[in-house]
Amino acid sequence: MAVGIFDSGLGGLTVWDAVHARLPEVPLVYFGDNAHAPYGVRDADDIYDLTTAGVTRLFEAGCDLVILACNTASAAALRRMQERWVPADKRVLGVFVPLIEALTERQWGDNSPPREVAVKNVALFATPATVASRAFQRELAFRAIGVDVEAQACGGVVDAMGEGDMILAEALVRSHVDALKRKMPHPEAAVLGCTHYPLVEAVFRDALGPAVSVYSQPSLVAASLADYLGRHPGRLGPGHEAMFLTTGDPKRVSSRATQFLRREIAFRPA
Ligand code: DGL
């Protein structure tokens, strides 16, 4: 009954944490492609090749349903995977759709035609590859009309956090928020479209101000997954062992993961 969670590295542990808290009885197999992270500065073909390789490993581990916790993979590879790669008996889902459903006040899984929604000005903060893909705008256009999206590529934030330099990460977040506000002075909502940003969510909130509603992924993804599994219980795969897999050095990745999530995490080789 395992479910797979794919990420380019450690950031997806924010999603793992929320899913585990929401669905403690479901064994989760986490795959971190640490050997090839970060994805946010790679090109789309590269991201597609790496993501399909990682998801294949999760299928092999008995996961029939895989969540791409990585926004960059969801943005740059998911649609192509769903259109011509995912086998008929498997499902791969991304992190943008739950976010957009929350933003546009839809029920989970509501695929009805796009309609006018309350929110009109949305700020998107994400990696350069996610912003370049325009996947968020595309998925939003399937569900809402008349929404203006201003995207800010937050160069340097993931790297600073990866190096444990939170002072630099916070300074970069503030400067990216300033840059966004020069383009869109009064966003009503802000989407934190990267696995790492929940860890600096307070800085985003502070820099954006109290008038802006901030949408952060982990709890939304967990709630929408719980709803999806309630509607599709057959999607739980044959795997039964929870584990953490990495393409990187398991010892090093485990120690960084333990710091990142502030709980003991032991990775094994993918
Ligand atoms: N996981 C990526 C994302 O959510 C951030 C880290 C990376 O660039 O690989 O976009």
Side-chain angles (χ1 to χ4, degrees):
M1 55 180 294
V3 169
I5 297 188
F6 171 90
D7 188 46
S8 55
L10 295 180
L13 289 171
T14 53
V15 172
W16 176 90
D17 198 29
V19 171
H20 179 61
R22 180 77 189 230
L23 298 166
E25 70 289 357
V26 176
L28 301 174
V29 183
Y30 184 92
F31 180 101
D33 193 8
N34 299 81
H36 305 106
Y39 280 14
V41 287
R42 291 179 178 273
D43 69 39
D45 285 341
D46 211 6
I47 294 165
Y48 177 84
D49 291 344
L50 292 168
T51 305
T52 48
V55 171
T56 300
R57 178 68 186 90
L58 286 167
F59 290 161
E60 286 164 9
C63 303
D64 288 351
L65 169 65
V66 173
I67 307 298
L68 298 187
C70 180
N71 290 260
T72 306
S74 299
L78 180 59
R79 183 154 285 268
R80 188 167 153 198
M81 289 168 71
Q82 288 172 332
E83 281 170 1
R84 50 185 124 131
W85 183 82
V86 180
D89 60 339
K90 311 271 193 253
R91 281 287 180 279
V92 181
L93 304 175
V95 282
F96 282 136
V97 170
L99 204 87
I100 290 170
E101 286 172 345
L103 187 70
T104 56
E105 298 178 62
R106 281 181 173 240
Q107 300 287 327
W108 303 127
D110 171 359
N111 286 323
S112 60
R115 54 179 179 255
E116 291 259 1
V117 293
V119 68
K120 297 290 178 217
N121 295 296
V122 175
L124 168 68
F125 297 94
T127 64
T130 296
V131 170
S133 76
R134 299 185 61 79
F136 179 84
Q137 289 90 326
R138 193 179 57 227
E139 292 296 337
L140 182 64
F142 289 140
R143 292 166 180 84
I145 41 185
V147 184
D148 193 14
V149 177
E150 195 61 67
Q152 178 66 30
C154 297
V157 176
V158 165
D159 285 339
M161 292 177 76
E163 282 154 25
D165 191 342
M166 295 309 285
I167 294 174
L168 176 59
E170 289 187 23
L172 287 170
V173 166
R174 288 186 191 281
S175 91
H176 288 305
V177 170
D178 282 349
L180 183 285
K181 281 185 162 173
R182 284 197 289 277
K183 297 180 281 184
M184 178 183 272
H186 301 293
E188 300 146 62
V191 169
L192 305 190
C194 172
T195 47
H196 285 57
Y197 301 168
L199 298 180
V200 280
E201 186 173 328
V203 186
F204 273 105
R205 284 184 185 277
D206 184 54
L208 284 160
V212 183
S213 307
V214 175
Y215 289 77
S216 177
Q217 284 167 338
S219 56
L220 294 173
V221 172
S224 113
L225 176 62
D227 178 80
Y228 181 88
L229 288 173
R231 287 182 285 124
H232 305 278
R235 287 285 165 214
L236 288 166
H240 48 77
E241 192 189 355
M243 53 188 153
F244 294 90
L245 303 171
T246 179
T247 54
D249 169 18
K251 214 170 146 199
R252 199 173 123 76
V253 172
S254 301
S255 116
R256 285 180 50 218
T258 301
Q259 275 171 358
F260 186 83
L261 216 54
R262 299 195 182 97
R263 61 193 283 175
E264 190 75 36
I265 308 258
F267 275 82
R268 53 174 102 160

